[in-house]
């Protein structure tokens, strides 16, 4: 038993499965989730999650508001999406007794999170596996892949090592001193696959198999790679490939990646299906925003942002045909000067 107390903020697929796996491994696990019906089911009969085709049910200590929390926590694992960070984190940051916050989310979210909780209290955990929410109290783990833990300043501290030890209950964990490189490598995955899954309604593997989807993957990956290069980021290996392999449009590398993550149904697509706001502005929009600072054109990322926002407004719906239109429109936009 690891002598650590963990608060999981957000009990969806990533947060819920992480919490369930931590039960019995660390001294205490509590889930904070705003959905009272979900919280009630997490408590009794417990979170039901499927992994590798096997169902599991784990009863969790869960609450629906920060006021219901008691005691101290070594870590608060933040698994809520970026549109809800301020509402979720402000009361927790003001509450005494939380040692460190850990970002589990996608996109360029760390600077804003640091502004909410304090840079000295924020670590990053890059989650390479994916999950799907099936409804209150029910989730599924779609893929098995590592989690990568690091300090934003590139150091390695006792708390970093403790966090990694705790998360080993979930699966493979790697420690990194290059967390910026990990963040950007995962951002390439999210911008290329999550954004395209959202607009097409396909899982990662379906996007990769679609001819226009594959073309868009390579184009979006190249845009993000160029921005990372301009920002002097040293990209790290992600989902079994070196980022440069996809710059070379290496179909074998893409196949290796999809062997790990092809079944992923990303949260951005799930949000569109449920009528919720997405994180496109910190994923594809995050790449585009940083690109403008370096005068780099990102027509494919820009078009994904436009399409996802149109879908959020109900003007369009996810469909494979959107990939064909995206390639045509973005290719035309890419001929324009920056």
């Amino acid at each position: 038993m690891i002598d650590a107390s963990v608060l999981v903020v957000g009990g969806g697929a990533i947060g819920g499965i992480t919490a369930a796996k931590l039960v019995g491994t660390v001294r205490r696990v509590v889930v904070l989730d705003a959905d009272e019906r979900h919280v009630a089911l997490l408590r009794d009969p417990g979170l039901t999650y499927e992994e590798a085709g096997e169902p599991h049910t784990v009863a969790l200590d869960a609450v629906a508001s920060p006021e219901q929390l008691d005691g101290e926590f070594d870590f608060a694992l933040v698994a809520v999406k970026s549109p809800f960070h301020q509402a979720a984190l402000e009361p927790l940051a003001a509450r005494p007794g939380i040692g460190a916050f850990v970002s589990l989310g996608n996109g360029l979210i760390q600077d804003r999170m640091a502004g909410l909780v304090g840079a000295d209290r924020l670590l990053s955990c890059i989650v390479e596996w994916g999950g799907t929410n099936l409804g209150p109290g029910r989730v599924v783990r779609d893929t098995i892949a590592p989690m990568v833990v690091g300090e934003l300043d590139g150091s390695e501290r006792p708390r970093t090592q403790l966090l990694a030890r705790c998360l080993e209950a979930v699966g493979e964990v790697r420690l990194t001193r290059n967390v910026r490189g990990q963040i950007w490598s995962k951002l390439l995955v999210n911008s290329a696959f999550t954004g395209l899954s959202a607009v097409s309604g396909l899982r990662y593997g379906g996007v990769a198999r679609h001819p226009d989807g594959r073309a868009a993957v390579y184009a979006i990956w190249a845009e993000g790679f160029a921005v990372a290069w301009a920002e002097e980021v040293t990209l790290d290996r992600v989902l079994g490939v070196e980022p440069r392999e996809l710059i070379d449009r290496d179909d074998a590398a893409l196949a290796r990646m999809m062997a790990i993550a092809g079944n992923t149904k990303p949260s951005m697509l799930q949000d569109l299906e449920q009528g919720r706001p997405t994180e496109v502005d910190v994923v594809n929009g995050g790449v585009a925003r940083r690109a403008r600072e370096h005068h780099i054109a990102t027509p494919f990322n820009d078009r994904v942002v436009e399409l996802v926002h149109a879908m959020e407004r109900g003007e369009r719906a996810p469909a494979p045909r959107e990939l064909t239109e995206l390639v045509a429109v973005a290719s035309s936009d890419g001929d324009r000067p920056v």
Side-chain angles (χ1 to χ4, degrees):
M1 178 75 68
I2 299 172
D3 186 18
S5 182
V6 178
L7 172 65
V8 179
V9 186
I14 300 298
I17 291 169
T18 299
K21 291 280 195 176
L22 289 174
V23 170
T25 297
V26 301
R27 173 168 42 85
R28 184 184 183 215
V29 183
V30 180
V31 176
L32 171 61
D33 192 281
D35 185 334
E36 293 187 359
R37 183 183 173 199
H38 185 55
V39 165
L41 290 170
L42 294 183
R43 297 176 66 89
D44 183 17
L47 176 72
T48 296
Y49 72 94
E50 181 180 314
E51 181 179 56
E54 293 291 328
H56 308 267
T57 300
V58 178
L60 295 167
D61 183 356
V63 299
S65 72
E67 292 75 23
Q68 295 174 287
L69 293 171
D70 63 84
E72 298 184 350
F73 299 93
D74 296 283
F75 301 107
L77 310 183
V78 182
V80 295
K81 297 182 178 67
S82 59
F84 308 108
H85 279 170
Q86 184 170 356
L89 294 179
E90 280 187 343
L92 295 176
R95 180 189 186 276
I98 297 179
F101 291 80
V102 183
S103 66
L104 268 61
N106 297 319
L108 298 179
I109 58 176
Q110 288 74 24
D111 288 346
R112 186 162 182 264
M113 289 184 68
L116 292 168
V117 305
D120 61 322
R121 288 209 290 170
L122 183 63
L123 295 82
S124 181
C125 176
I126 311 302
V127 181
E128 294 189 3
W129 55 272
T132 301
N133 290 303
L134 300 180
R138 297 175 59 240
V139 298
V140 61
R141 185 170 182 173
D142 295 322
T143 53
I144 305 295
M147 302 171 92
V148 186
V149 170
E151 299 276 353
L152 296 179
D153 63 5
S155 65
E156 186 175 312
R157 308 179 193 177
R159 71 179 186 182
T160 332
Q161 297 166 349
L162 176 61
L163 175 62
R165 285 177 55 217
C166 293
L167 292 176
E168 285 174 354
V170 185
E172 180 186 350
V173 179
R174 299 198 306 267
L175 281 168
T176 182
R177 291 179 178 267
N178 179 28
V179 76
R180 286 188 73 217
Q182 285 289 333
I183 289 168
W184 271 90
S185 293
K186 180 68 185 301
L187 182 60
L188 295 184
V189 173
N190 288 135
S191 58
F193 290 99
T194 298
L196 294 175
S197 290
V199 302
S200 68
L202 301 172
R203 293 182 183 240
Y204 281 12
V207 170
R209 288 189 296 271
H210 191 289
D212 291 312
R214 186 165 56 253
V217 163
Y218 288 139
I220 290 173
W221 195 278
E223 289 178 1
F225 191 97
V227 179
W229 180 269
E231 299 229 333
E232 300 181 343
V233 172
T234 301
L235 293 167
D236 274 352
R237 190 174 181 85
V238 63
L239 291 175
V241 305
E242 296 293 339
R244 181 165 288 282
E245 291 182 272
L246 265 65
I247 292 297
D248 297 333
R249 295 177 173 255
D250 186 333
D251 287 346
L254 181 61
R256 292 200 311 273
M257 181 179 283
M258 291 303 98
I260 298 171
N263 193 45
T264 301
K265 182 179 182 179
S267 60
M268 197 183 298
L269 174 57
Q270 296 177 55
D271 288 338
L272 287 176
E273 291 175 342
Q274 298 299 319
R276 298 187 297 252
T278 74
E279 295 184 291
V280 71
D281 288 330
V282 297
V283 178
N284 301 87
V287 173
R289 186 167 56 254
R290 294 289 181 88
R292 287 193 290 272
E293 298 173 11
H294 301 285
H295 306 288
I296 296 172
T298 55
F300 280 81
N301 277 286
D302 293 341
R303 185 56 180 163
V304 170
V305 173
E306 292 170 0
L307 286 171
V308 171
H309 283 318
M311 291 173 184
E312 288 175 329
R313 294 190 298 268
E315 298 167 2
R316 306 177 81 123
R321 64 177 176 274
E322 297 289 351
L323 295 172
T324 300
E325 181 183 338
L326 186 154
V327 169
V329 172
S331 298
S332 174
D333 288 346
D335 294 334
R336 301 174 186 174
V338 180

